Amino acid sequence: MVQEFQAQESQLIVVLIFATIFLIIACLGVILFFFFSRKKVIEKEREKANLKVKHQQKVLQTSIAIQELERKRIAQDLHDDISSKLNIVSLTTNMLIEDDTIGQNQKESLEQILKITSTTLESSRKIAHDLLPPILEKFGLKAALEELFEDFSKNTTIDIQYNLEELQLTRNNQLHVFRIIQELVNNSLKHGKANEIVVFMEDKADGFKLRFQDNGIGFDTNKVNEKLGIGLQNINSRVKILKGTLAIESKIGSGSNFLIRCPYEA
């Protein structure tokens, strides 16, 4: 009787052991199932996020490309249409001024028209030049930036110190770098109230480095990171198109420092 009871007890222990092992295996299976399921969900979400970023990047590139085409069209219209008509007005006015049959009062009015026409023509040329600097197409980025800095120095009180090296970039990417620096200078003048700017553009074997510093009023970088203004949005967008990185250092009352690093395309 005792032996029979011990045999039944042994069988029960074996059953319990197997049942425990089965439960452990089942629990492990459930855990692994949820783990791999969650992993797949995360991978899918990551793929969606990457696709969203790529889509935003394409939209961004298209938007900036359209913007540059529109600038080019407006610049050509200003040069070919408006400037040519203003030149005709100027020449005609000069001819009328030289006419001896016209009275003094009429000549004074014509001279005023000529003065306004000349001023408008100069403004038209400057706008067209800012929209699409011809020197960039003819002589490249370095020459275009030197001309840009000279124009700012002549027409404002700002002092710009610079050291520029030639970069191995396509014309399109040179235009992006030109727009970035143009926007940075405008921001330093308009928002930063700076009167000194330093620009370093350095060519490296695998890319280039651009450092821009001013002595303006500075700003809170934490607030800027939360919400970028239109100017910084454009700068950041063009840096992304160049596949580069943008680092901003600034404190209120201590000026601003922008460091841009971009790789060269293989």
Side-chain angles (χ1 to χ4, degrees), residues 192 230 242 257:
I230 294 173
L242 293 168
N257 182 16

Side-chain angles (χ1 to χ4, degrees), residues 160-178:
I160 303 178
Q161 302 294 324
Y162 56 89
N163 185 10
L164 308 175
E165 294 182 1
E166 292 284 1
L167 304 183
Q168 304 168 45
L169 295 171
T170 63
R171 276 287 185 265
N172 193 47
N173 286 346
Q174 285 184 27
L175 181 59
H176 287 311
V177 175
F178 180 86

